Amino acid sequence: MDATLPVDLFGGGVVAAPMAGGPSRPDLVRAVGAAGGLGFLAGGYKTPEALAAELDAMDGARPFGVNLFVPGPAEADRDAVLAFRERLLPEAAAVGADVPEPRWTDDDGYPAKLDLLLGRVPAAVSFTFALPARSAVTALQAAGALVLQTVTGPEEAVAAAELGADALVVQHPDAGGHSGAFLGLPAFAGTLPELVAAVRAALSAAGARLPLVAAGGIGTPEAAAAARDAGAAAVQLGTAFVRTPEAGTNAVHRAALAAPDFARTATTRAFSGKWARGLENGFMRRFPDAPAAYPVLHHLTAPMKAASVRAGSPERTSLWAGTGWRAARDEPAADVVARFGR
């Protein structure tokens, strides 16, 4: 296909990243779409029933997308998880929370959510954490959805192109939240424009030509323009939308992004068992050796995170943010789309 994106979906050249855990609620997705961008509902961590309710809320809205986390192979070391749970007990107790017994399964609602989207087809479906089955890609395309795959480097881009994806979300390590890496390769060492250029070159060498959506650390319109100059057809923004009134961001997260208290972002496995970037807080510093056990750790830490938010404390909850977080504003989503659009 031609390396451009459908004008009716991407006319403004701005995509609102699917941010699981609250920010990407229907209000935000609708507002981004109304402003000429493409909003995404986040299917990760949701039950099929919860995702269906959000689809109900989107009835009559402009075209939008849905993101799904693709379950990966089991990677939990049970002894390491149980040891982590013991260390977590006093952390949770400090905010009045319990620590549940480990849940050893991955996102077992994934097949049902995929079936849901095949019956209630959004304009676009994106996949993160792993490649979906080829049959899922072809079925969604046959139903009329554009299929996007999150990639973090040239090798993953070629694999996604071979699978038949319509477009790629090229995610730089500076992105907030979870990394979409699925090949286990070292993180890309250059800038986002250099990553976009490297992916373009790899696709060209493989005889593929796909539109690219650049993501990761885009805090200013100038950074968005640089990604487009490198060959991106659109930019995907996450942190830039987190402080908008339409986002479902909790009050502690909003305040942390605006406060001068945090010096930097860092990556951690402590909250979910998978690498993710956020404002570095005390919990992250105390657990630099958290085991690779996604989503087992997510379920273990969820009550503590919720209790930390209820207590108004940013110290024991995830504060996902990209490296451009200081530029995020408290402004309507439509203003973000206008500032970062073409």
Side-chain angles (χ1 to χ4, degrees), residues 75-88 91 178 267-276 281-298 300-301 304 320:
E75 55 177 323
D77 179 326
R78 292 193 174 225
D79 289 340
V81 169
L82 293 175
F84 177 83
R85 183 180 182 277
E86 287 300 310
R87 295 170 61 198
L88 190 62
E91 296 282 346
H178 287 91
T267 56
T268 183
R269 286 196 304 223
F271 289 109
S272 71
K274 187 183 285 289
W275 292 112
N281 60 11
F283 186 81
M284 290 167 61
R285 288 190 290 269
R286 290 190 292 276
F287 290 87
D289 55 348
Y294 175 87
V296 184
L297 266 59
H298 162 72
L300 287 179
T301 63
M304 177 193 70
W320 303 138

Side-chain angles (χ1 to χ4, degrees), residues 30-118:
R30 293 176 70 95
V32 171
L38 180 67
F40 266 84
L41 293 174
Y45 301 142
K46 291 187 178 75
T47 64
E49 294 76 18
L51 180 57
E54 291 200 343
L55 292 174
D56 289 342
M58 294 301 297
D59 279 351
R62 282 179 52 86
F64 63 94
V66 178
N67 173 259
L68 295 180
F69 291 167
V70 181
E75 55 177 323
D77 179 326
R78 292 193 174 225
D79 289 340
V81 169
L82 293 175
F84 177 83
R85 183 180 182 277
E86 287 300 310
R87 295 170 61 198
L88 190 62
L89 291 173
E91 296 282 346
V95 289
D98 295 323
V99 181
E101 292 297 321
R103 289 172 51 182
W104 300 106
T105 58
D106 205 322
D107 186 356
D108 53 7
Y110 172 76
K113 287 186 278 193
L114 186 57
D115 286 344
L116 174 66
L117 297 184
L118 286 170

Side-chain angles (χ1 to χ4, degrees), residues 212-293:
L212 308 179
V213 180
I218 301 174
T220 65
E222 291 75 19
R228 292 191 179 99
D229 289 345
V235 294
Q236 178 172 283
L237 309 174
T239 309
F241 285 108
V242 172
R243 294 184 63 199
T244 63
E246 297 91 346
T249 314
N250 67 65
V252 168
H253 195 174
R254 286 181 185 274
L257 288 170
D261 306 21
F262 295 91
R264 69 186 192 112
T265 63
T267 56
T268 183
R269 286 196 304 223
F271 289 109
S272 71
K274 187 183 285 289
W275 292 112
R277 181 177 294 281
L279 299 179
E280 187 183 46
N281 60 11
F283 186 81
M284 290 167 61
R285 288 190 290 269
R286 290 190 292 276
F287 290 87
D289 55 348

Side-chain angles (χ1 to χ4, degrees), residues 186-218:
F188 188 79
T191 65
L192 176 58
E194 289 169 343
L195 174 58
V196 170
V199 166
R200 287 185 67 202
L203 291 175
S204 178
R209 195 162 178 259
L210 297 179
L212 308 179
V213 180
I218 301 174

Side-chain angles (χ1 to χ4, degrees), residues 1 127-128 130-134 137-138 141 147-170 180 182-183 199 202-203 206 208-212:
M1 64 180 289
F127 293 97
T128 304
L131 293 175
R134 187 180 298 273
V137 174
T138 56
Q141 290 168 333
V147 174
L148 293 82
Q149 177 66 41
T150 303
V151 301
T152 63
E155 296 87 352
E156 291 182 347
V158 172
E162 291 174 347
L163 184 68
D166 295 306
L168 306 179
V169 178
V170 181
F182 57 82
L183 287 184
V199 166
L203 291 175
R209 195 162 178 259
L210 297 179
L212 308 179

